[in-house]
Amino acid sequence: MHEVTIRPQWTIRQAGGAVLAPRVIELLVQVHAQGSLASACKVLGVSYRHAWELVRQGETLFGEPLVVMERGKGSTLTALGEKLVWADRRISARLSPMLDSLASELGAEIEKVLSSASALLRVHASHGFAIETLRRFLVAEGVPNDLKYCGSVEALASLHNAGCDVAGFHVPVGEFEAPAVAYYLPWLSLRSQKIINVASRHQGLMVAQGNPKKIYALKDLQRRDVRFINRQAGSGTRFLLDMLLQKEGIEPTQIKGYEQCEYTHAAVAAFVASGMADAGYGVETPARQFNLEFIPSQTERYFLLCDERSLATPFVQQMLDILRSEAFRHAVDQLPGYQADECGRIAELDEIFQSLRARPSRRARH
């Protein structure tokens, strides 16, 4: 299968005037990451002279400095330079999952034209870093696939309506498991579906490095000086947060920013890292990627669901081989907050979820 890659690119134009070259933003991102202009040049493969010319172009356009050089201390970005870097990271965090879904769709369409076989593995899944890893492995192994990121409910509904072959969703461990399973129940079938273990992961609060606002628990989100960024309604993370708030007796209206949302964990982390919010709720991996503090509050398990008859199909079998491979488990274990627990193990729904064992009538109705 041919891999399609789509990357966001943005720039700034003066009204009726010059345009900021995208290469300037790439350079600033690397200066921020590497700590010096010389190191940024090595990463980008450009000469020191050319890099300075790019910096000058940007500073001319804005009329403000972007980079500060200090002898013996490397290079640092000005406030404006940092803001451009964080804008780039927010754009990437917000759009990359959607663009990955589009790239997967385009790749699938191209494959249909190039190959005599029209079949492919259709995966609709709640966004997560284990699923991102699975997609990379599927492409590397040449498994034709079409991956769409969506909320857990949308993914399960799609499987229920034969819109995909495999659905990815996540369920909290412990006291919130039963209400979460009840929430998903309209799209589950004990008789005809099988569940596949992928990983466990941690959800919690993301706050700025050093935790300057002293945010340690959900109750701190009620303070007037705390700004919050939420996940979208319909996402499993939003549902989990709402259950946690209800348990603590916290009204969402008491949280400044509760109605403002992003569509991925990475976008939430980028929002906090850019200083536009003081806290967000999500998985640990992007918090570490954006150098944020992470305060865990809940462990959950990520699963794949499919119809039993699909298990024997070649593409699902290839997917299972990947999930059970040492290479894949190692890759998932390297993700902060993730652990590849019994990865690739197939089970009955009522074997995994205790709350379904007392529902014999449900089995009969499906």
Side-chain angles (χ1 to χ4, degrees), residues 29-337:
V29 168
Q30 290 304 323
V31 170
H32 183 270
Q34 306 300 324
S36 75
L37 188 61
S39 296
C41 291
K42 291 180 181 179
V43 171
L44 294 175
V46 300
S47 69
Y48 196 80
R49 179 178 179 180
H50 181 59
W52 261 118
E53 180 59 32
L54 289 173
V55 171
R56 291 192 191 98
Q57 288 177 16
E59 292 180 341
T60 299
L61 184 141
F62 288 108
E64 294 284 344
L66 297 173
V67 178
V68 177
M69 302 283 290
E70 293 186 68
R71 186 179 296 275
K73 295 185 178 180
S75 310
T76 58
L77 301 182
T78 64
L80 176 59
E82 287 190 350
K83 189 61 67 175
L84 292 173
V85 169
W86 286 115
D88 184 76
R89 297 191 76 177
R90 279 196 64 215
I91 290 169
S92 178
R94 177 179 285 185
L95 297 182
S96 288
M98 288 183 282
L99 293 178
D100 286 347
S101 290
L102 179 59
S104 180
E105 179 183 333
L106 295 176
E109 293 300 319
I110 292 171
E111 198 66 21
K112 289 177 183 178
V113 175
L114 296 176
S115 173
S116 57
S118 60
L120 73 164
L121 179 66
R122 300 171 301 163
V123 182
H124 290 184
S126 172
H127 179 258
F129 294 88
I131 289 299
E132 281 190 1
T133 304
L134 176 59
R135 179 176 182 266
R136 291 199 301 272
F137 274 72
L138 288 169
V139 172
E141 292 294 323
V143 181
N145 68 89
D146 184 4
L147 171 63
K148 176 185 177 182
Y149 289 125
C150 54
S152 290
V153 168
E154 185 180 347
L156 292 173
S158 179
L159 178 67
H160 181 78
N161 296 321
C164 65
D165 305 302
V166 178
F169 69 113
H170 49 98
V171 176
V173 173
E175 63 181 307
F176 297 119
E177 178 186 291
V181 172
Y183 181 59
Y184 297 140
L185 196 58
W187 300 279
L188 303 180
S189 171
L190 276 72
R191 185 177 64 184
S192 63
Q193 294 174 335
K194 299 292 184 181
I195 197 163
I196 304 167
N197 286 274
V198 178
S200 62
R201 65 185 191 181
H202 296 144
Q203 293 254 34
L205 288 169
M206 308 178 193
V207 299
Q209 185 68 29
N211 199 359
K213 289 291 183 74
K214 308 301 180 187
I215 301 167
Y216 300 108
L218 292 177
K219 64 181 181 181
D220 295 323
L221 301 180
Q222 301 173 93
R223 296 196 335 239
R224 295 175 64 89
D225 66 325
V226 173
R227 299 162 300 162
F228 184 69
I229 179 67
N230 208 349
R231 284 292 305 279
Q232 82 278 14
S235 68
T237 297
R238 174 73 165 260
F239 182 68
L240 171 60
L241 176 66
D242 286 346
M243 288 192 292
L244 288 166
L245 294 177
Q246 185 177 30
K247 177 187 176 183
E248 302 254 347
I250 300 172
E251 288 293 332
T253 54
Q254 296 175 297
I255 300 174
K256 184 189 297 184
Y258 175 86
E259 295 300 335
Q260 188 171 6
C261 64
E262 291 283 358
Y263 284 80
T264 69
H265 295 284
V268 168
F271 203 92
V272 175
S274 65
M276 300 179 69
D278 302 303
Y281 194 84
V283 298
E284 184 174 354
T285 305
R288 301 306 182 193
Q289 291 174 345
F290 282 88
N291 198 31
L292 299 174
E293 300 272 349
F294 182 77
I295 304 164
S297 71
Q298 182 69 47
T299 299
E300 62 181 12
R301 293 182 292 177
Y302 197 103
F303 299 103
L304 295 174
L305 190 71
C306 70
D307 290 333
E308 184 174 14
R309 64 178 179 272
S310 299
L311 289 174
T313 61
F315 294 148
V316 172
Q317 282 295 309
Q318 287 177 281
M319 182 192 72
L320 290 171
D321 288 342
I322 289 172
L323 290 171
R324 293 164 181 166
S325 69
E326 183 64 30
F328 180 79
R329 292 199 301 269
H330 177 74
V332 171
D333 285 339
Q334 297 306 300
L335 298 169

